[in-house]
Amino acid sequence: MFGKNLKITEKLTISAAVFMIPIIIMLITIINSSFTEIRRYENELKGIAVLRPVISLMQVIPQYIYLSNDNASGDSDLTKQYAQTTLSHFIDLYQKNYSKDTTVVSLNSLMENWEHVSNGKMPVLILWAYKQLIVDLNKLIIYISETSGLALDSELESSYLVSAAIHEVPQAQVRMISIGNLLRTVIHGSFTLLRKSELARELDLLIYSDNARIQERFNASKNLGINSGGSMGELELQLEICHNNIGNFSNSVENFLNDQITDPQRIPVLVESAINANNSAFRLQRASLDRLEKIISERIRSRYLLFTLYILAAGISALASFLIVFFTIHGIRKSTTEMEAVFKSLDENDLTANAQVLSSDELGNFISALNIFLQKLRLAFASFNQNVSMVSNSMYELSSSSKEISATANEQSTSVSEIVSTLENNKNLSSQAAEKTVVVSQLAIRTQELSRRGAELRDFNEQMMQNIRNQNTKITDIIKNLADILSRIDESIQMIDSIADNTKLIAFNAALEASSSGEAGLRFSVVAGEIRRFADNVVESVDEIKEKITNLQDASGKLITEADYGSMVIDEGYHKMVEQKEVFENIVEASQNVAISTQQITNLSKQQEMASVQVFTALKEISAGINQFVTAIKTTSQTAERLDKMSGELKGILSKYKIQDTGV
């Protein structure tokens, strides 16, 4: 229900917005993933920053023990101060980025062991605290690498470097410090067989485990860098130095163990070799962390670049989508404006409007179909208008003919009335003649005069009968002409009926087209309905006219029959008049034989009276038929006037619709 109240452009905008939602969600997911990776890499960089002072402590504390405990040449105080500063810096960084108290190593324990190392007086306690401090630092290295995510890095080169810098190298350092402490027991005179076996075990682990794994890790990382087109650079050099120094230290310790005599004088050289190996391990760790920091920094830069590209791509996509939607909506709006103008013209009864086809899509096809429909509608209206004009002219001619026929019929009716009156007088005269035959003998003198008068009346009657014959023939011709006119009227009515049916069909098709146009075609649908209703009224009127015409045709048929019968009677009367002439001639010639002639006159008078009665009756019937014909003609004239009025109203309705552009 909500979508029905929206315009096409609004629906298209909503569809475009809905289409953009998955893209936006995907873009947000990609951005969130990028930022997650960037934060992970930044955490790894923080872990590297915290690890740097730790690996420095792994290098500087053995250096301080070597200077302070082994009485080597160098500034032990400066080394102590540097170690103290580095330790404080590490604690600050650790407390800033990680938890103050951990289950791995206690910072208080770390500070206590350093205190023993830096200020202790007992060598055994110092060496114990020294080893414990190095072990704790190794644990912190592992903890920091795991907490910062370095240990979880899935990149191959990073994984090899992290494993070497966090696991193998610090483990090798712890093992070398343990070996150094065991060697120092020789100086203190506490180098027992147990410690010698422990020293041999630690040495084997250093040679065959730690140093070998360092070499394997860096070889794998080196091969990865070569295969990817990179170079290890400084890292390769430090790896070689570290591996060689650890190997030299291991060989020296191994030679020391293989000697039958334990010489304390060789311990400082071995400890120095351990310090050198530890320093090279520190430099290797630092180079590894530098390499990791460079790799991670490059990843961060690539992620920021990728993020920028995503944002740029999203912006370009959004702009492209906006432009596509804008131009699409603009095109649809132009097409709908064209259709709105056409329907507005139709609402104003202007059928000359045409919509411009602006596209080849569904709207363009619809506008083309609308233009074709309007062209057909204009042709239909023009044809209908012409047919209405023809009907109007036919009705006018029918009305004029009906008036003329009515006038002629009135004249005929008057003539017949006069004939009836004359015949009535003739009847009276015949009656009187019959009465006077009794006294003919007394009136013989007057017989010639009466015969003369009878001859005159006979001539007058003969002339009157001739007029009646002519008038009856004229009436018969008029009635037949009326029948022909009614036939032509019936043909016109058939044509009007066909036009009305075509009008109904056109109105029905127009209503279908208007219904398919939706709300825009609602008003045109009303116009089509009015046309269809008018066509139904025309059909009803045509049916009524056809019924009236049928009645007129039946009446005219009856009139023709009656007229033929009247003609026959009139002919018979005329013949009677001829006979009457002969009778009057006989009366004149036989006036001498009055008695016989009187009887003959009496008989003839009776016959004349009967003939007059018959003629009188026939003329009355003719008069009644003429009156009925006049009534039918009046009805026909009224019907014609109604049809003419209806055609005028139809022409008025059609004149409201403009079907031609007068400006062209």
Side-chain angles (χ1 to χ4, degrees):
M1 296 298 293
F2 174 73
K4 293 182 178 179
N5 299 324
L6 294 178
K7 297 180 178 179
I8 296 176
T9 53
E10 294 175 349
K11 292 180 179 179
L12 185 59
T13 303
I14 294 174
S15 298
V18 172
F19 175 74
M20 288 297 294
I21 288 175
I23 298 177
I24 294 173
I25 293 174
M26 181 176 65
L27 182 61
I28 292 174
T29 303
I30 293 173
I31 292 173
N32 185 49
S33 177
S34 298
F35 273 110
T36 301
E37 290 186 359
I38 289 172
R39 284 194 297 269
R40 180 168 65 84
Y41 293 148
E42 289 177 347
N43 289 333
E44 291 179 359
L45 288 178
K46 290 179 182 179
I48 291 173
V50 177
L51 284 175
R52 289 188 182 277
V54 179
I55 64 173
S56 296
L57 290 173
M58 293 285 286
Q59 185 264 339
V60 72
I61 291 175
Q63 188 70 28
Y64 171 70
I65 293 296
Y66 175 63
L67 294 175
S68 63
N69 191 66
D70 298 331
N71 296 321
S73 60
D75 192 348
S76 61
D77 293 333
L78 180 62
T79 304
K80 177 181 177 181
Q81 184 179 359
Y82 176 73
Q84 181 66 43
T85 303
T86 303
L87 182 60
S88 299
H89 177 59
F90 161 71
I91 292 174
D92 292 338
L93 288 175
Y94 187 82
Q95 291 178 342
K96 179 181 179 181
N97 295 284
Y98 303 101
S99 177
K100 295 180 181 180
D101 296 325
T102 64
T103 57
V104 178
V105 175
S106 172
L107 296 180
N108 293 330
S109 175
L110 196 67
M111 293 298 295
E112 290 176 359
N113 290 328
W114 168 248
E115 184 66 26
H116 290 305
V117 170
S118 60
N119 297 318
K121 302 300 182 181
M122 298 176 61
V124 177
L125 181 59
I126 292 173
L127 293 177
W128 177 85
Y130 164 55
K131 182 179 179 181
Q132 190 63 40
L133 182 59
I134 295 301
V135 172
D136 290 341
L137 290 175
N138 185 34
K139 292 179 180 179
L140 286 172
I141 289 173
I142 296 173
Y143 173 75
I144 293 169
S145 65
E146 292 177 351
T147 305
S148 64
L150 283 170
L152 303 176
D153 199 317
S154 60
E155 295 291 336
L156 291 177
E157 184 179 359
S158 300
S159 176
Y160 291 143
L161 291 174
V162 169
S163 180
I166 294 173
H167 295 286
E168 279 77 12
V169 174
Q171 185 63 39
Q173 288 177 301
V174 172
R175 213 170 300 281
M176 286 189 294
I177 290 170
S178 298
I179 292 173
N181 286 345
L182 290 173
L183 291 174
R184 288 185 178 92
T185 59
V186 176
I187 298 174
H188 299 149
S190 57
F191 187 67
T192 61
L193 292 176
L194 180 60
R195 287 180 175 174
K196 185 176 181 179
S197 61
E198 183 180 356
L199 177 60
R201 185 176 65 255
E202 293 288 341
L203 182 61
D204 289 338
L205 291 173
L206 177 63
I207 295 172
Y208 301 110
S209 178
D210 300 331
N211 199 24
R213 284 192 294 174
I214 291 173
Q215 185 64 42
E216 290 175 0
R217 293 289 185 183
F218 281 100
N219 286 339
S221 180
K222 179 180 178 181
N223 292 331
L224 182 63
I226 293 173
N227 293 333
S228 61
S231 175
M232 302 296 287
E234 179 67 19
L235 193 61
E236 294 181 15
L237 178 61
Q238 296 300 329
L239 170 62
E240 185 177 359
I241 294 173
C242 179
H243 183 268
N244 293 334
N245 288 337
I246 293 176
N248 293 332
F249 171 68
S250 301
N251 292 332
S252 299
V253 174
E254 188 176 9
N255 292 332
F256 174 76
L257 289 175
N258 291 331
D259 289 341
Q260 298 296 326
I261 300 173
T262 302
D263 186 4
Q265 300 297 327
R266 297 176 60 185
I267 298 304
V269 177
L270 295 175
V271 172
E272 182 179 3
S273 178
I275 294 299
N276 291 332
N278 187 65
N279 291 336
S280 62
F282 163 71
R283 288 190 294 271
L284 179 59
Q285 281 182 308
R286 185 174 61 186
S288 300
L289 293 179
D290 291 341
R291 177 69 177 176
L292 278 173
E293 188 173 19
K294 181 180 179 181
I295 293 172
I296 295 171
S297 299
E298 288 177 355
R299 291 179 188 171
I300 293 175
R301 284 193 297 272
S302 65
R303 289 298 182 273
Y304 274 115
L305 178 60
L306 186 61
F307 171 73
T308 304
L309 292 176
Y310 285 149
I311 294 298
L312 183 61
I316 293 173
S317 300
L319 180 61
S321 300
F322 173 77
L323 292 176
I324 292 172
V325 172
F326 174 77
F327 285 113
T328 303
I329 292 175
H330 181 66
I332 293 175
R333 181 58 182 168
K334 289 177 67 178
S335 298
T336 54
T337 302
E338 287 289 328
M339 289 190 290
E340 185 177 359
V342 170
F343 287 116
K344 184 176 180 181
S345 299
L346 293 177
D347 188 48
E348 295 173 356
N349 299 330
D350 184 6
L351 300 179
T352 61
N354 276 323
Q356 184 180 2
V357 180
L358 300 174
S359 62
S360 300
D361 55 5
E362 289 81 357
L363 285 176
N365 295 334
F366 176 75
I367 293 175
S368 298
L370 179 62
N371 290 334
I372 295 172
F373 169 73
L374 290 176
Q375 180 64 25
K376 292 181 179 179
L377 187 62
R378 285 192 291 269
L379 294 176
F381 266 75
S383 176
F384 191 64
N385 196 10
Q386 292 176 358
N387 293 331
V388 169
S389 298
M390 293 175 60
V391 171
S392 179
N393 294 332
S394 300
M395 291 301 102
Y396 179 76
E397 293 176 358
L398 178 62
S399 178
S400 299
S401 300
S402 298
K403 290 179 180 179
E404 293 177 359
I405 293 172
S406 178
T408 303
N410 288 329
E411 293 176 358
Q412 291 177 353
S413 177
T414 303
S415 299
V416 170
S417 297
E418 292 177 356
I419 293 172
V420 170
S421 177
T422 302
L423 287 177
E424 188 174 3
N425 292 331
N426 190 18
K427 177 183 178 183
N428 293 329
L429 289 174
S430 297
S431 298
Q432 290 176 4
E435 292 175 356
K436 294 298 182 179
T437 55
V438 179
V439 291
V440 167
S441 58
Q442 291 88 5
L443 299 175
I445 299 172
R446 299 180 59 185
T447 300
Q448 291 182 352
E449 182 180 359
L450 291 173
S451 298
R452 188 173 55 253
R453 291 181 60 189
E456 293 175 356
L457 288 174
R458 198 267 330 152
D459 293 333
F460 177 78
N461 288 335
E462 183 181 1
Q463 184 66 33
M464 185 65 67
M465 289 299 294
Q466 185 65 35
N467 291 335
I468 290 172
R469 288 181 68 187
N470 295 334
Q471 191 68 27
N472 188 68
T473 302
K474 185 177 180 181
I475 290 172
T476 302
D477 294 335
I478 290 172
I479 291 172
K480 291 180 179 180
N481 187 28
L482 177 61
D484 294 335
I485 292 172
L486 290 175
S487 297
R488 292 199 304 270
I489 291 173
D490 185 68
E491 293 176 356
S492 299
I493 292 302
Q494 293 293 333
M495 182 177 64
I496 293 172
D497 192 16
S498 176
I499 292 170
D501 290 337
N502 290 332
T503 303
K504 288 173 66 179
L505 181 60
I506 292 171
F508 179 74
N509 292 332
L512 288 180
E513 292 293 332
S515 64
S516 65
S517 300
E519 295 183 359
L522 183 60
R523 296 182 178 177
F524 185 75
S525 177
V526 174
V527 173
E530 289 296 320
I531 293 174
R532 187 177 182 183
R533 183 180 62 79
F534 178 72
D536 293 334
N537 293 335
V538 170
V539 171
E540 292 177 359
S541 299
V542 166
D543 294 336
E544 183 179 356
I545 292 170
K546 290 170 70 176
E547 182 180 0
K548 295 295 183 181
I549 289 174
T550 302
N551 294 333
L552 286 175
Q553 289 176 340
D554 295 337
S556 64
K558 291 180 180 179
L559 284 176
I560 291 172
T561 303
E562 294 295 331
D564 292 335
Y565 179 76
S567 297
M568 183 181 68
V569 174
I570 290 171
D571 290 336
E572 185 177 354
Y574 179 78
H575 293 305
K576 294 294 182 183
M577 287 297 177
V578 173
E579 292 176 1
Q580 190 180 31
K581 179 180 179 181
E582 294 175 356
V583 169
F584 274 104
E585 289 177 353
N586 291 327
I587 291 174
V588 173
E589 293 176 356
S591 57
Q592 295 178 358
N593 194 358
V594 176
I596 298 172
S597 298
T598 301
Q599 185 64 37
Q600 293 177 349
I601 291 171
T602 302
N603 295 330
L604 291 174
S605 296
K606 290 181 179 179
Q607 293 177 359
Q608 183 182 5
E609 184 178 3
M610 292 177 63
S612 297
V613 170
Q614 292 177 354
V615 171
F616 182 73
T617 304
L619 288 176
K620 279 188 175 182
E621 292 177 354
I622 291 172
S623 178
I626 291 174
N627 291 332
Q628 186 178 4
F629 178 72
V630 169
T631 302
I633 292 299
K634 288 182 179 180
T635 303
T636 302
S637 179
Q638 292 175 357
T639 303
E641 289 178 356
R642 287 178 59 191
L643 283 175
D644 185 60
K645 183 178 179 182
M646 291 172 63
S647 63
E649 293 177 353
L650 183 58
K651 289 178 68 178
I653 293 174
L654 292 176
S655 65
K656 295 180 181 179
Y657 293 91
K658 182 180 178 183
I659 60 175
Q660 292 182 353
D661 192 355
T662 57
V664 179

